[in-house]
């Protein structure tokens, strides 16, 4: 009798090529967990059905890379923001009707052309019916002066909130096609926006390490939640209680009480920056998408219920449907989707035994999760509810898009079979994907090698088990009418499978393919030892240089430490040191800038992605902390008498100004790049505008 197949807790569904260029943003539909929207550097927004290889619909209209996308709760509207600061809203239901109409018109044109060729083979040009171009774009919203970093739909009203690198938050009325209100308070880019379940509040997270809560009715900030020591990447409201969760690059998750406006608990020790969190629909726990794992947390007290290993890398978004958690991640032009079976995940209860927790008296044990500890959101009724009241600007402050902004937008059918299956209307327009969907089937738990062994027929029984296959699904490049983005120079990515500066082929035995000669163990070990010596030389030199810098660092003199790193003439050591200094902005001084700026110019021209990222981070810190001081010092009139300290400071400002002017040309030339490099350089170019 065959052994029953044990299914996996987490598995990979598929990997698709989502765009002709790099993917810059994506979002999952939270209602169905089956609809995926991706934005790319090719200025398109593509719609996909999870676990299907072909693109359902491609939306055009943007003229710059799409950096943020969001679906509304019923999955009928989609909004996308671009690097230029423009926002476009598409009506997916209207897009389905448009595509159905276009398909009918194309059929008429095809029949006309066929009849013309058969009936009039030698006749001249004859005018026939032509397909009309219909635009499903609902609104084009203009007003931001920099990249759109975050978007969210209001849960009940027809409003959209947008956050930008220009530090502003805008609330848009889709019906009136204008900005309703602008919220100011953040000092850096706004990375995440979320409306509360009752639609009365708006939470924002930004690179300035803060979370802010805004009252839509009063049009002002209710509270600010400091505490994070790094950029805050994501915020999420509890589905029922007055509770807010925030995740940051400082590798912590904080829970905030929205009645007392204070921190409830803080979870530390995340393996990397927190970019994606999601509450369970009943509010019993919080899921955190970490590097290659899913963690399940409770907050009163803070504890980890479960850890599930998922090889999804840096997961970008999460959704829950049919007791399954769907996670999506992207890298370059590829998007991968993963599934975690939540029925096999611990979501409540106690964690592994711990001496400190077991010694607590019974009164301090965690409360019953079914009993709410704080207020519950009062949601408006589905019918007969009054429209959402929000604070509004005067009519004169609203801006309508120009004729240039009303660029033609189209919804293109990428695959006829998927169109017929999903979008073809019967009696009424059906939703995509279907609201009632079946759970994704889980593959066997054993790895591929074990599964192949299990697939062989048993001597006793002739039963075979199917072997699941993970195929990389792709589609041909999208033919686009928009100009192709400029190709970036060859950059070595930071996430590599081999050491930077070393080639794996140097440490492997050379095999001649024609002869297929099999090396003996002695020859193979000899080849490996040769590469081992080279590796040891590189690592020994690196270790020696770092020891030299560390010896100076222990004295507490940061400036001398940086000088010693520069004197070694090894950019890798400079990068290691700057990565430490960048963690604490208070370590930066004006005299340190005079030494670091020439090294930053070299880093920005490096072929290594990690070097470029470190250089951009250091330059951003210098510009934010010292550029106002430098410009004020140079613009100030000379003082009467001799002030030695002021003269020294003025000399340092002149040196820094000269170096920044030199770097500004490099930053400007690279600001036209696409992807995250271009985005970072464009942000630096905005900060350096006062130098021109």
């Amino acid at each position: 009798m065959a052994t029953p197949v044990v299914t996996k807790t987490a598995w990979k569904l598929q990997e698709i090529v989502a765009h002709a260029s790099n993917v810059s943003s994506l979002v999952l539909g939270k209602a169905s967990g089956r609809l995926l929207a991706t934005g790319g550097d090719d200025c398109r927004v593509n719609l996909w059905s999870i676990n299907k290889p072909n693109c359902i619909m491609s939306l055009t209209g943007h003229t710059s890379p799409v950096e943020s996308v969001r679906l509304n709760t019923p999955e009928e509207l989609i909004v996308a923001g671009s690097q230029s600061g423009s926002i476009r809203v598409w009506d997916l239901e209207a897009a389905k009707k448009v595509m159905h109409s276009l398909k009918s018109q194309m059929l008429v044109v095809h029949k006309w052309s066929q009849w013309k060729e058969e009936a009039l083979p030698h006749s001249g040009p004859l005018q026939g019916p032509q397909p009309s171009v219909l635009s499903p774009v609902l609104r084009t919203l203009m007003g931001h002066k920099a990249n759109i970093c975050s978007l969210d739909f209001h849960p009940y009203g027809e409003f959209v909130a947008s956050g930008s690198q220009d530090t502003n938050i805008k609330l848009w009325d889709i019906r009136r096609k204008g900005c309703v209100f602008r919220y100011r308070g953040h000092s850096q880019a706004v990375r995440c926006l979320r409306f509360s379940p009752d639609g009365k509040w708006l939470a924002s997270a930004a690179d300035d390490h803060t979370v802010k809560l805004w009252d839509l009715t009063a049009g002002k900030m209710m509270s600010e939640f400091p505490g994070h020591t790094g950029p805050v990447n994501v915020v999420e409201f509890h589905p029922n209680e007055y509770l807010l969760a925030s995740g940051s690059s400082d590798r912590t998750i904080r829970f905030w009480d929205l009645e007392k406006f204070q921190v409830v608990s803080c979870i530390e020790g995340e393996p990397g920056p927190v970019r994606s969190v999601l509450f369970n629909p009943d509010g019993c726990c919080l899921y955190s998408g970490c590097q290659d794992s899913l963690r399940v947390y409770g907050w009163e007290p803070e504890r980890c219920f479960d850890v599930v290993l998922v090889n999804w890398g840096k997961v970008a978004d999460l959704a829950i449907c049919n007791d399954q958690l769907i996670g999506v991640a992207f890298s370059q032009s590829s998007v991968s989707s993963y599934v975690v079976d939540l029925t096999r995940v611990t979501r409540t209860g106690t964690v592994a035994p711990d001496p400190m927790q077991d010694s607590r008296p019974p009164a301090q044990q965690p409360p019953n999760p079914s009993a709410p500890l704080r207020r519950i959101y009062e949601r408006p009724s589905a019918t007969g509810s009054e429209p959402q009241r929000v604070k509004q600007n005067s009519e004169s402050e609203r801006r309508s898009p120009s004729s240039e902004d009303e660029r033609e937008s189209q919804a293109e059918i990428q695959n006829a079979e998927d169109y017929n299956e999903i979008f073809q209307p019967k009696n009424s327009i059906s939703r995509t994907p279907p609201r009632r969907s079946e759970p994704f089937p889980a593959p066997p738990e054993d790895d591929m090698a074990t599964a192949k062994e299990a697939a062989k027929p048993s001597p006793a029984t002739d039963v075979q088990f199917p072997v699941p296959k993970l195929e990389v699904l792709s589609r041909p490049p999208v033919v686009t009418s928009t100009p192709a983005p400029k190709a970036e120079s060859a950059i070595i990515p930071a996430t590599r499978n081999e050491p930077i500066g070393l080639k794996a082929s140097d440490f492997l035995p050379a095999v001649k393919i024609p002869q297929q000669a099999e090396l003996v163990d002695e020859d193979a070990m000899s080849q490996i030892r040769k590469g081992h010596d080279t590796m040891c030389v590189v690592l020994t030199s690196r270790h020696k240089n770092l020891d030299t810098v560390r010896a100076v660092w222990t004295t507490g003199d940061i400036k001398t430490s940086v000088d010693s790193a520069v004197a070694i003439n090894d950019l890798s050591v400079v990068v290691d040191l700057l990565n430490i200094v960048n963690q604490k902005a208070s370590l930066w001084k004006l005299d340190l800038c005079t030494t670091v700026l020439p090294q930053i110019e070299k880093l920005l021209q490096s072929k290594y992605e990690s070097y470029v990222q470190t250089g951009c981070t250091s330059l951003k810190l210098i510009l934010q902390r010292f550029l106002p001081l430098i410009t004020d010092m140079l613009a100030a009139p000379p003082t009467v008498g001799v002030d030695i300290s002021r003269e020294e400071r003025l000399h340092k400002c002149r040196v820094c100004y000269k170096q920044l002017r030199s770097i500004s040309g490099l930053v400007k030339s690279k600001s036209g790049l696409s992807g995250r490099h271009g985005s970072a350089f464009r942000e630096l170019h905005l900060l350096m505008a006062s130098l021109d």
Side-chain angles (χ1 to χ4, degrees):
M1 185 174 180
T3 305
V5 176
V6 180
T7 57
K8 291 184 176 180
T9 303
W11 64 95
K12 183 176 182 178
L13 272 181
Q14 67 173 357
E15 181 177 350
I16 58 174
V17 178
H19 287 267
S21 58
N22 289 343
V23 177
S24 51
S25 58
L26 56 78
V27 68
L28 279 167
K30 299 300 185 289
S32 65
R34 297 296 188 270
L35 185 61
L36 171 66
T38 62
D41 289 350
D42 57 3
C43 312
R44 287 175 174 260
V45 177
N46 292 337
L47 295 178
W48 308 80
S49 182
I50 293 294
N51 207 26
K52 293 196 178 225
N54 298 312
C55 178
I56 300 172
M57 185 189 305
S58 186
L59 303 172
T60 63
H62 277 298
T63 58
S64 59
V66 178
E67 292 210 337
S68 183
V69 289
R70 192 75 178 171
L71 289 158
N72 71 337
T73 303
E75 299 177 3
E76 296 174 348
L77 300 176
I78 183 172
V79 60
S82 69
Q83 284 185 356
S84 64
S86 66
I87 302 171
R88 289 177 183 266
V89 185
W90 288 274
D91 187 339
L92 298 183
E93 294 296 323
K96 298 174 191 178
K97 298 177 183 178
V98 168
M99 290 199 301
H100 180 58
S101 176
L102 286 175
K103 185 180 180 183
S104 302
Q105 293 182 44
M106 291 302 296
L107 181 61
V108 172
V109 173
H110 174 70
K111 290 184 177 180
W112 169 267
S113 302
Q114 187 177 12
W115 173 84
K116 175 186 170 185
E117 292 177 359
E118 294 176 355
L120 304 171
H122 303 291
S123 63
L126 187 63
Q127 296 296 326
Q130 299 294 328
S132 61
V133 178
L134 303 179
S135 174
V137 68
L138 181 63
R139 289 289 180 263
T140 300
L141 309 172
M142 303 294 295
H144 284 291
K145 299 179 181 178
N147 306 34
I148 304 297
C149 304
S150 53
L151 294 163
D152 196 28
F153 276 100
H154 191 276
Y156 302 107
E158 295 186 3
F159 297 100
V160 171
S162 60
S164 170
Q165 278 191 353
D166 62 11
T167 73
N168 289 327
I169 301 171
K170 290 179 180 285
L171 186 64
W172 308 88
D173 189 334
I174 301 177
R175 297 167 299 177
R176 299 184 182 180
K177 202 176 180 180
C179 178
V180 177
F181 201 79
R182 177 169 55 182
Y183 305 91
R184 299 178 180 177
H186 286 291
S187 59
Q188 295 186 40
V190 181
R191 293 298 175 185
C192 184
L193 293 172
R194 289 292 183 272
F195 284 101
S196 61
D198 59 1
K200 297 180 180 179
W201 298 339
L202 177 67
S204 60
D207 286 350
D208 58 9
H209 307 180
T210 65
V211 176
K212 298 181 186 294
L213 189 66
W214 309 88
D215 188 328
L216 300 183
T217 305
K220 63 181 181 180
M221 184 175 66
M222 291 181 58
S223 181
E224 177 178 342
F225 302 108
H228 284 292
T229 58
V232 187
N233 302 316
V234 61
V235 288
E236 198 72 35
F237 281 95
H238 190 281
N240 302 314
E241 302 178 17
Y242 276 27
L243 184 73
L244 181 71
S246 59
S248 168
S249 295
D250 63 7
R251 303 186 179 186
T252 66
I253 300 175
R254 292 178 178 267
F255 296 90
W256 311 94
D257 190 311
L258 300 185
E259 288 185 283
K260 302 177 181 178
F261 300 109
Q262 63 185 20
V263 65
V264 174
S265 58
C266 177
I267 295 174
E268 301 178 346
E270 286 285 281
V274 182
R275 295 185 176 88
S276 184
V277 297
L278 181 67
F279 279 100
N280 199 65
D282 62 2
C284 65
C285 63
L286 178 81
Y287 302 103
S288 173
C290 308
Q291 180 79 21
D292 290 330
S293 67
L294 174 73
R295 295 178 180 240
V296 188
Y297 291 116
W299 49 89
E300 287 178 315
E302 63 272 14
R303 58 207 186 277
C304 182
F305 292 132
D306 205 349
V307 179
V308 181
L309 297 180
V310 191
N311 296 321
W312 53 24
K314 298 179 181 178
V315 63
D317 198 18
L318 303 172
I320 295 176
C321 182
N322 295 327
D323 268 336
Q324 291 181 333
L325 184 140
I326 297 93
V328 286
F330 64 91
S331 175
Q332 297 181 349
S333 61
S334 300
V335 174
S336 303
S337 54
Y338 300 80
V339 175
V340 178
D341 186 358
L342 296 182
T343 61
R344 305 182 63 184
V345 175
T346 303
R347 289 178 272 184
T348 57
T350 58
V351 294
D354 183 83
M356 296 300 294
Q357 291 186 357
D358 293 342
S359 62
R360 295 180 302 180
Q364 295 182 2
Q365 295 297 326
N368 183 5
S370 63
L373 300 178
R374 47 187 63 84
R375 286 181 60 187
I376 304 297
Y377 293 109
E378 296 179 0
R379 294 175 172 84
S381 59
T383 59
S385 59
E386 297 181 358
Q388 175 70 33
R389 297 179 58 187
V390 298
K391 180 75 173 180
Q392 298 190 9
N393 292 328
S394 62
E395 291 292 336
S396 60
E397 295 183 16
R398 300 180 187 174
R399 177 184 172 184
S400 298
S402 61
S403 58
E404 182 181 356
D405 302 328
E406 294 290 353
R407 184 177 179 271
E408 182 181 359
S409 301
Q410 299 180 16
E412 300 179 5
I413 303 172
Q414 299 294 334
N415 185 275
E417 294 181 1
D418 283 351
Y419 168 82
N420 292 328
E421 178 183 353
I422 300 174
F423 288 107
Q424 181 70 31
K426 302 295 188 297
N427 296 330
S428 61
I429 299 296
S430 61
R431 185 172 307 282
T432 306
R435 300 292 286 178
R436 297 183 179 274
S437 54
E438 296 296 327
F440 293 115
E445 180 147 2
D446 296 332
D447 56 11
M448 296 300 295
T450 309
K452 289 180 180 179
E453 291 294 328
K456 297 179 181 179
S458 172
T461 59
D462 195 23
V463 179
Q464 293 185 350
F465 294 94
V467 181
K469 296 182 179 180
L470 294 178
E471 299 181 356
V472 178
L473 305 172
S474 61
R475 64 182 182 90
V478 180
V479 179
T480 174
S481 59
T482 56
K486 299 180 181 178
E488 294 190 34
S489 57
I491 296 291
I492 299 179
T495 54
R496 288 167 55 85
N497 295 325
E498 59 187 50
I500 293 177
L502 300 175
K503 295 182 180 179
S505 58
D506 295 340
F507 305 95
L508 298 176
V511 178
K512 297 181 180 179
I513 298 178
Q515 298 179 358
Q516 294 294 331
E518 183 177 355
L519 293 176
V520 296
D521 293 343
E522 290 77 8
D523 294 337
M525 291 301 298
S526 176
Q527 294 290 338
I528 293 175
R529 288 193 185 96
K530 291 180 181 179
H532 178 71
D533 294 338
T534 305
M535 173 73 79
C536 287
V537 170
V538 173
L539 294 180
T540 302
S541 175
R542 180 79 172 272
H543 188 269
K544 180 181 178 180
N545 293 337
L546 289 174
D547 275 345
T548 303
V549 176
R550 182 177 178 274
V552 183
W553 181 274
T554 55
T555 63
D557 192 345
I558 308 299
K559 175 66 165 56
T560 307
S561 302
V562 176
D563 289 338
S564 62
V566 173
I568 293 174
N569 197 23
D570 186 353
L571 275 182
S572 62
V573 177
V574 175
V575 169
D576 291 337
L577 189 58
L578 287 180
N579 285 334
I580 297 174
V581 178
N582 290 341
Q583 295 298 320
K584 192 172 183 181
S586 59
L587 295 177
W588 284 93
K589 306 296 180 185
L590 191 59
D591 56 348
L592 184 62
C593 298
T594 59
T595 304
V596 172
L597 281 173
Q599 303 302 312
I600 290 178
E601 188 171 4
K602 296 179 183 179
L603 295 178
L604 296 182
Q605 301 178 70
S606 174
K607 64 179 180 179
Y608 299 116
E609 182 184 30
S610 59
Y611 288 18
V612 177
Q613 290 176 350
T614 301
C616 289
T617 303
S618 300
L619 181 58
K620 182 179 177 180
L621 286 172
I622 292 174
L623 293 173
Q624 291 175 341
R625 290 181 62 86
F626 297 105
L627 185 57
L629 171 65
I630 294 173
T631 54
D632 291 345
M633 284 292 297
L634 296 179
T639 59
V640 179
V642 179
D643 188 343
I644 298 178
S645 61
R646 184 184 184 281
E647 291 296 328
E648 292 178 351
R649 188 164 59 253
L650 180 60
H651 173 70
K652 296 174 184 176
C653 289
R654 287 173 178 169
V655 173
C656 291
Y657 182 80
K658 183 178 179 181
Q659 293 169 345
L660 288 173
R661 289 280 295 178
S662 176
I663 296 176
S664 65
L666 175 63
V667 171
K668 184 177 181 180
S669 65
K670 291 181 176 289
S671 61
L673 298 176
S674 59
R676 56 180 172 180
H677 293 298
S679 178
F681 280 114
R682 278 186 288 276
E683 184 178 5
L684 292 174
H685 183 55
L686 290 174
L687 293 174
M688 303 179 78
S690 59
L691 295 174
D692 299 333

